[in-house]
């Protein structure tokens, strides 16, 4: 993002900030938006400025309304429970001078939220944190369970709809815009081989056996903040994709990112595999708090881990075939490396499938659920 400090100051002047800004620096490593940390005189890290990727979030007004609905709802819930540290437990967005929760500068959309002080996110976590993360996302979904489908829109239509993602994938393969399909024939075949079995949720939904719920839809490990000092859980962040969808999204995406012994884009496939300890801890935390789950949903949890990993492989490969138009990449073959890494993780999840199902049955039979 090529902007000068002066330009950032101009953007920030549209929001009523406290203190005089001393620096604006790049922050975090998401694949979609640009995130910056705003420090004020005296050295206090005070705000987070984000440029919203509006090529992806086409209706920014709806996006920011969704986020406002979600954060206000969570804030009310926290107030009801007598929470004292609310500003560190839920994101607080600042209105811009136009009264909306974003500013459009003619080219880009910007938003500002309070920086959560003394917080830390992780790219890799230990068992203890995985348990807390499970509780965090279970609690997050529970707090939002009473929001109706109408109060939240789909900020990206069909975001975690597997049938739709496969349609996009097949369109990319047949267009083959930059002639990349011939080197990925094996991956294409591996995707097609699993395609039908990966669309169970859509099928169950049509049959009336599964409902939609409010999901976070991006439960990557680094979208949770913990206290820097005592490590306690603070807040779920990155709320762009909170929307009605299928319940496995939030469980599956955490296992995909948190229970992998390697990185999401690990070029060394030998490093990739399932960390069963993390899987157990997260599942235990999630089942403890996601009190709304039906038996069908619970039984599908291990499948959800495979589904979200498969979906991510399909999305990365689609982007690779399309010429890297969606995800930020760090080198030319990055999306292909990501796809291979996701596939390796999927194979490992498939190997552990039975063990994972037994573990879920054991946990749900442990009196952890009502
Ligand atoms: P992206 O959509 O690019 O993933 P995020 O909203 O997840 O952007 O922010 C990227 C990183 O910035 C997070 O992983 C977290 O470490 C940090 N971060 C984001 N918002 C805050 C905040 N309000 N307070 C402190 N750190 C934050
Ligand atoms: C994107 O913004 P970030 O990095 O948290 C993507 C997720 C993917 C993820 C893969 C809006 O998330 O869906 O799972 O990359 N977000 C969007 O790392 O597409
Ligand atoms: Mg993020």
């Amino acid at each position: 993002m090529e902007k000068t400090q002066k330009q950032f100051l101009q953007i920030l002047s549209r929001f009523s900030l406290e203190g005089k800004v001393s620096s604006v620096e790049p922050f975090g490593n998401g694949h979609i938006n640009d995130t910056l940390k705003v420090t004020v005189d005296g050295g206090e890290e005070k705000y987070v400025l984000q440029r919203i990727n509006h090529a992806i979030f086409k209706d920014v007004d709806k996006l920011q309304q969704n986020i406002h609905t979600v954060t206000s709802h969570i804030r009310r819930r926290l107030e009801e429970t007598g929470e004292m540290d609310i500003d560190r437990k839920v994101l607080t967005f600042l209105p811009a001078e136009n009264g909306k929760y974003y500013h459009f500068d003619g080219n880009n959309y910007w938003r500002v939220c309070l920086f959560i002080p003394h917080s830390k996110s992780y790219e890799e976590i230990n068992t203890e944190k995985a348990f807390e993360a499970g509780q965090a996302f279970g609690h997050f979904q529970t707090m939002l369970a009473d929001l109706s489908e109408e109060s939240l829109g789909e900020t990206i239509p069909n975001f975690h709809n597997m049938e739709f993602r496969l349609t996009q994938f097949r369109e990319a393969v047949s267009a083959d815009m930059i002639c990349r399909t011939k080197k990925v024939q094996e991956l294409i075949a591996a995707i097609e081989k699993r395609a039908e079995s990966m669309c169970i949720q859509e099928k169950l939904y049509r049959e009336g056996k599964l409902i939609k719920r409010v999901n976070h839809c991006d439960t990557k490990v680094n979208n949770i903040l913990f206290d820097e000092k005592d490590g306690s859980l603070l807040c779920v962040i990155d709320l762009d994709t909170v929307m009605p969808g299928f319940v496995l999204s939030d469980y599956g995406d955490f296992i995909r990112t948190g229970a992998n012994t390697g990185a999401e884009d690990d070029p060394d496939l030998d490093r990739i595999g399932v960390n069963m300890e993390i899987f157990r801890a997260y599942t235990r935390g999630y089942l403890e708090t996601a009190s709304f789950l039906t038996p069908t949903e619970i039984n599908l949890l291990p499948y959800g881990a495979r589904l979200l990993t498969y979906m991510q492989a399909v999305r990365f490969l689609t982007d690779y075939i399309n010429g890297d138009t969606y995800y930020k990449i760090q080198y030319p073959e990055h999306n292909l490396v990501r796809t291979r890494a996701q596939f390796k993780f999927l194979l490992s999840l498939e190997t552990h499938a039975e063990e994972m199902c037994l573990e879920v049955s054991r946990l749900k039979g442990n009196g952890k659920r009502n």
Side-chain angles (χ1 to χ4, degrees):
M1 193 186 2
E2 285 165 23
K3 285 247 178 273
T4 61
Q5 293 283 312
K6 195 171 154 213
Q7 287 167 318
F8 285 135
L9 287 181
Q10 257 165 13
I11 294 159
L12 287 166
S13 72
R14 306 303 180 124
F15 297 84
S16 48
L17 309 187
E18 281 173 21
K20 187 166 174 295
V21 174
S22 56
S23 74
V24 183
E25 295 154 40
F27 191 47
N29 49 7
H31 299 344
I32 307 292
N33 299 311
D34 295 316
T35 306
L36 300 127
K37 181 167 68 181
V38 179
T39 307
V40 296
D41 272 354
E44 189 188 351
E45 296 165 326
K46 189 92 196 227
Y47 303 102
V48 171
L49 169 67
Q50 278 186 321
R51 183 172 70 106
I52 302 166
N53 185 332
H54 72 277
I56 290 176
F57 297 102
K58 298 209 162 43
D59 187 344
V60 174
D61 205 67
K62 178 154 91 187
L63 171 74
Q64 289 306 106
Q65 266 173 37
N66 255 26
I67 293 182
H68 185 61
T69 305
V70 168
T71 50
S72 317
H73 195 79
I74 295 179
R75 183 169 283 272
R76 267 196 306 278
R77 282 290 141 88
L78 293 171
E79 279 164 2
E80 280 160 20
T81 58
E83 171 62 53
M84 301 300 287
D85 198 11
I86 291 190
D87 285 348
R88 293 174 84 220
K89 297 288 170 88
V90 62
L91 289 178
T92 309
F93 285 86
L94 272 57
E97 60 187 4
N98 59 7
K100 296 190 178 282
Y101 286 85
Y102 62 87
H103 163 66
F104 181 57
D105 68 5
N107 290 309
N108 289 297
Y109 292 85
W110 302 87
R111 66 183 169 207
V112 175
C113 70
L114 293 183
F115 182 89
I116 298 190
H118 314 296
S119 67
K120 192 171 163 34
S121 66
Y122 295 84
E123 296 299 323
E124 267 177 61
I125 57 166
N126 61 23
T127 324
E128 189 194 337
K129 296 255 173 318
F131 172 67
E132 289 179 40
Q135 288 183 316
F137 284 121
H139 188 222
F140 182 84
Q141 282 186 313
T142 305
M143 283 193 291
L144 299 177
D146 60 340
L147 275 180
S148 62
E149 255 192 82
E150 303 76 60
S151 49
L152 291 181
E154 288 195 345
T155 54
I156 301 178
N158 291 309
F159 187 52
H160 277 180
N161 179 327
M162 195 61 242
E163 290 176 347
F164 174 75
R165 292 298 180 186
L166 281 164
T167 303
Q168 285 185 318
F169 167 71
R170 287 170 184 146
E171 280 168 8
V173 171
S174 34
D176 198 10
M177 291 289 275
I178 56 165
C179 305
R180 278 180 162 177
T181 57
K182 56 179 181 302
K183 68 184 285 194
V184 294
Q185 286 302 318
E186 254 172 74
L187 284 167
I188 294 173
I191 285 172
E192 288 298 349
K193 188 175 146 203
R194 291 163 176 80
E196 199 186 333
S197 67
M198 285 296 163
C199 295
I200 289 181
Q201 288 195 111
E202 290 77 16
K203 193 165 163 280
L204 288 176
Y205 181 69
R206 277 193 293 273
E207 292 168 356
K209 294 179 185 152
L210 200 64
I211 58 161
K212 289 196 180 178
R213 300 187 184 282
V214 176
N215 279 279
H216 181 279
C217 287
D218 192 8
T219 53
K220 283 165 76 164
V221 185
N222 63 12
N223 285 333
I224 304 185
L225 296 182
F226 292 90
D227 187 285
E228 200 173 51
K229 294 196 189 95
D230 66 13
S232 60
L233 191 135
L234 292 175
C235 180
V236 169
I237 59 167
D238 206 345
L239 306 173
D240 294 321
T241 51
V242 179
M243 64 176 111
F246 299 122
V247 78
L248 298 180
S249 289
D250 285 5
Y251 176 80
D253 225 16
F254 186 91
I255 301 294
R256 179 182 78 76
T257 55
N260 187 345
T261 50
E264 181 185 63
D265 58 351
D266 216 316
D268 180 354
L269 297 184
D270 290 338
R271 282 200 288 249
I272 295 175
V274 185
N275 179 330
M276 285 300 287
E277 287 303 312
I278 300 278
F279 160 78
R280 262 182 221 109
Y282 183 79
T283 307
R284 193 159 59 84
Y286 184 67
L287 282 174
E288 256 185 43
T289 46
S291 49
F292 51 81
L293 293 171
T294 65
T296 308
E297 290 171 334
I298 295 174
N299 292 337
L300 282 171
L301 293 178
Y303 168 81
R306 299 198 293 285
L307 170 63
L308 268 289
T309 306
Y310 173 80
M311 190 184 301
Q312 197 58 62
V314 171
R315 292 177 63 197
F316 282 148
L317 190 59
T318 304
D319 199 32
Y320 178 72
I321 294 171
N322 281 338
D324 312 309
T325 57
Y326 188 93
Y327 294 105
K328 290 184 200 167
I329 52 167
Q330 276 139 29
Y331 52 90
E333 299 282 278
H334 200 170
N335 273 319
L336 181 56
V337 171
R338 285 168 169 157
T339 309
R340 292 199 198 289
Q342 292 298 293
F343 239 97
K344 174 69 198 296
F345 189 59
L346 177 62
L347 295 178
S348 184
L349 288 168
E350 288 174 350
T351 308
H352 286 85
E354 204 173 320
E355 197 183 342
M356 291 168 95
C357 287
L358 287 173
E359 192 59 34
V360 169
S361 306
R362 190 182 69 79
L363 287 171
K364 97 179 155 186
N366 251 356
K368 303 274 182 218
R369 306 200 40 77
N370 45 25

